[in-house]
Amino acid sequence: MASDDLWSSLPCIIIAQILRFLNFRDRLNASTVCKRWRNCLYCPADWPQVSLTFKNNEQSERSNFLVKNFGHFLNDIEVCFDSTSAQCISSVLNLMKRACINRKLRRLVLKPSSGHVEWRSLSDSQRFVQLLQKTFANCKKLEHVSLGLCQDFTDHADSILCILKTSQSTSLESLHIASIKEDPDSYNICEIVARDFEPFSKLRCVSLDYDHISNELLRGFIDNRKVYLETLVINIHGVDPDKEWITEQTWRDLSGHCTELEVTLNLVHSYDGVNNLLDILQLSLPLVHFRMIFCGAGINVPAIFALGEQYSKSLQSVYIIDGMVDWQPNMYPCPNEDCFVMLAWRCDQLRQFTLIGYSMIDLNILAIPTLRPQLVIYDIPECCIALSADDEDSEDSNHGNVISVQDLQPKVSLHLSHSMKRPWYPISDEDLHRSIIDENYDAESAYLDVLLADQLS
């Protein structure tokens, strides 16, 4: 009884201070003890950042509770949701109704499960965009916006930019309005021009579709003496034959103005992007990360050689993934030296290398981490390892003992583990994403998290 009297006599500010020592989940449980504790816990300082997940019933129930009680004062909201579920979409709509009256919001990150939302009706789609716009207009100091690569939202990037440049020009630091296209060969392009970015004074991270990148737009960042970009992510889909190429002079001037700038190129389902890659890769482009994702155009070998030659001091990661037919890896020409081995030889900053869906002989697989033992990520599927001519002509083969990739794989793993000073194994067949071997399977789930990670900073 005395203990109960002690707790009931404590001022709310003392209870709140004690409960702050609890972790997130325990604080959530503590809020269900009694009404007084719940009121003590409903303090904005205790809930600066919350990740909301609307995917299964348990996750949605927890997130709906958080939205109801904290949605109107959270500083930082990340929303991960199943964009094919009517129930989850309805929950996110309810969240946005709370968020649009939250003047404390500083960071909003949308993370849908797909680049397209399966709305119950057109009115739901329109309502969501209206709530987004209202949220951005009402915030006092919004710093970070990510539309989650979702075409349903990025199709309205022009109107959203108009609101942001009016109400958030002095606070916004990160703006991510790049997309992935449901049909990369046919899609609408909203109008985004250089003057849309003129009012911003603190922008440092931007992601855009290549359709919106122009010499004029990039020169706008050069002319804006208050803005010094640090990160520019460019998603390439189709390439209009009439579109102007970004010139070497523009990249040189931009790099001179934004001396810390790092560029990421994502070619997503971009047949045109692969074929025009040499025109895109200008010498002064400060390229750090390069990705080719389900482009279906094969490897542009001259362009890969250019990557190594032009970005030997900046390139840190190469990520290439494509589908296979009947478990048969795609081939790429290798007349003399392998283009990827030469890239590894030249690029002394290389930390990540992923090649999925393309055949590579074992000697070249061994060569890359031998040249770059500092690789943090080195992903090659087991089914993509091919035997070199030396293996086929080895003494065992000459004596009638057929050497298979399965026989060779332990030797490759052992050699690479020694070079990288840690255990290394190829990706097993069982661990390959289904879309790599089944062209009818949704490929977005194979790479969406990789691209969304660009939008967190």
Side-chain angles (χ1 to χ4, degrees):
M1 186 70 179
S3 177
D4 291 342
D5 290 341
L6 176 62
W7 277 103
S8 62
S9 63
L10 281 176
C12 277
I13 190 170
I14 300 298
I15 296 176
Q17 190 65 36
I18 294 171
L19 295 177
R20 279 176 187 159
F21 287 98
L22 301 176
N23 61 34
F24 176 83
R25 181 170 292 279
D26 288 340
R27 263 185 287 157
L28 205 58
N29 291 334
S31 70
T32 65
V33 170
C34 64
K35 184 176 181 180
R36 189 158 185 261
W37 279 29
R38 187 158 56 250
N39 290 336
C40 292
L41 281 163
Y42 289 178
C43 173
D46 295 328
W47 306 90
Q49 191 274 335
V50 170
S51 295
L52 304 171
T53 301
F54 299 98
K55 288 193 173 181
N56 57 45
N57 290 336
E58 182 180 351
Q59 291 172 326
S60 296
E61 183 178 355
R62 168 188 171 277
S63 295
N64 282 324
F65 172 83
L66 293 172
V67 168
K68 179 181 177 181
N69 293 288
F70 310 123
H72 61 290
F73 61 64
L74 291 171
N75 294 333
D76 185 337
I77 302 177
E78 286 189 15
V79 192
C80 182
F81 65 98
D82 182 352
S83 55
T84 66
S85 164
Q87 181 180 353
C88 293
I89 295 168
S90 177
S91 295
V92 178
L93 272 169
N94 289 332
L95 162 66
M96 294 311 302
K97 291 174 185 176
R98 302 286 287 175
C100 72
I101 60 172
N102 180 1
R103 292 180 58 78
K104 298 179 181 295
L105 187 65
R106 291 179 178 269
R107 185 173 182 270
L108 178 63
V109 176
L110 301 177
K111 300 171 72 175
S113 61
S114 169
H116 177 68
V117 178
E118 296 183 11
W119 304 102
R120 291 177 299 180
S121 64
L122 179 60
S123 61
D124 277 355
S125 171
Q126 294 170 336
R127 179 61 176 154
F128 193 96
V129 173
Q130 290 168 357
L131 290 170
L132 268 181
Q133 294 170 335
K134 187 175 180 181
T135 299
F136 298 152
N138 286 346
C139 296
K140 289 195 294 185
K141 290 184 178 181
L142 190 64
E143 297 173 358
H144 184 113
V145 172
S146 167
L147 300 184
L149 301 165
C150 185
Q151 191 175 350
D152 297 71
F153 311 146
T154 60
D155 279 350
H156 302 274
D158 50 351
S159 60
I160 289 173
L161 254 179
C162 185
I163 292 171
L164 290 172
K165 72 181 182 181
T166 301
S167 56
Q168 308 297 335
S169 62
T170 59
S171 61
L172 195 66
E173 298 178 8
S174 299
L175 176 61
H176 299 287
I177 51 179
S179 68
I180 53 177
K181 305 300 185 186
E182 189 173 22
D183 181 357
D185 296 321
S186 177
Y187 53 88
N188 294 324
I189 302 174
C190 63
E191 185 179 4
I192 296 177
V193 294
R195 64 176 177 274
D196 292 328
F197 292 92
E198 286 177 0
F200 296 102
S201 59
K202 290 188 176 181
L203 271 181
R204 59 181 182 82
C205 299
V206 176
S207 69
L208 288 166
D209 287 338
Y210 186 69
D211 306 285
H212 299 132
I213 299 290
S214 66
N215 289 291
E216 181 185 7
L217 186 145
L218 294 181
R219 289 199 167 278
F221 290 118
I222 300 169
D223 296 336
N224 187 341
R225 294 299 171 179
K226 296 179 181 179
V227 170
Y228 295 90
L229 286 183
E230 297 174 10
T231 301
L232 177 60
V233 181
I234 303 173
N235 285 9
I236 304 174
H237 310 288
V239 177
D240 188 334
D242 297 326
K243 178 180 174 61
E244 65 169 358
W245 300 113
I246 309 302
T247 66
E248 167 66 15
Q249 187 64 51
T250 295
W251 284 119
R252 185 184 301 119
D253 293 345
L254 182 62
S255 299
H257 174 65
C258 306
T259 56
E260 303 297 319
L261 179 61
E262 296 183 350
V263 173
T264 297
L265 287 183
N266 296 319
L267 282 68
V268 187
H269 302 287
S270 183
Y271 189 94
D272 292 343
V274 174
N275 290 332
N276 290 282
L277 197 49
L278 282 173
D279 292 309
I280 296 170
L281 298 176
Q282 296 296 318
L283 183 62
S284 294
L285 167 68
L287 184 64
V288 174
H289 305 291
F290 175 79
R291 303 186 183 113
M292 276 174 43
I293 299 172
F294 289 101
C295 291
I299 301 295
N300 185 334
V301 172
I304 300 299
F305 275 114
L307 282 177
E309 293 166 357
Q310 297 177 193
Y311 313 113
S312 61
K313 299 303 179 184
S314 65
L315 191 65
Q316 295 180 16
S317 73
V318 173
Y319 179 94
I320 298 175
I321 180 172
D322 228 324
M324 300 184 294
V325 178
D326 296 329
W327 288 94
Q328 296 300 310
N330 304 286
M331 309 295 290
Y332 60 91
C334 187
N336 296 309
E337 300 295 337
D338 183 274
C339 57
F340 293 113
V341 173
M342 295 303 294
L343 180 145
W345 176 58
R346 291 189 172 102
C347 297
D348 53 21
Q349 300 299 313
L350 195 65
R351 297 292 184 272
Q352 302 180 19
F353 183 87
T354 297
L355 183 64
I356 298 175
Y358 289 89
S359 176
M360 180 178 278
I361 64 172
D362 57 307
L363 293 180
N364 291 333
I365 292 173
L366 292 169
I368 291 174
T370 301
L371 291 164
R372 296 293 161 221
Q374 75 274 17
L375 283 174
V376 177
I377 295 176
Y378 187 48
D379 287 335
I380 305 288
E382 183 178 348
C383 63
C384 293
I385 301 176
L387 297 175
S388 66
D390 291 344
D391 294 318
E392 294 171 352
D393 295 336
S394 69
E395 185 176 345
D396 283 345
S397 295
N398 292 333
H399 284 83
N401 298 321
V402 177
I403 297 178
S404 67
V405 172
Q406 287 73 22
D407 297 329
L408 192 66
Q409 189 264 319
K411 297 180 181 179
V412 173
S413 295
L414 183 63
H415 187 102
L416 289 182
S417 298
H418 177 74
S419 295
M420 301 173 74
K421 295 181 173 55
R422 60 181 173 84
W424 182 90
Y425 302 95
I427 302 173
S428 67
D429 294 346
E430 293 78 15
D431 290 335
L432 276 179
H433 194 273
R434 183 176 167 184
S435 61
I436 296 167
I437 56 174
D438 183 356
E439 63 179 6
N440 297 315
Y441 194 81
D442 181 21
E444 285 183 2
S445 56
Y447 62 80
L448 192 61
D449 286 345
V450 173
L451 299 187
L452 283 174
D454 291 338
Q455 306 205 352
L456 297 179
S457 61

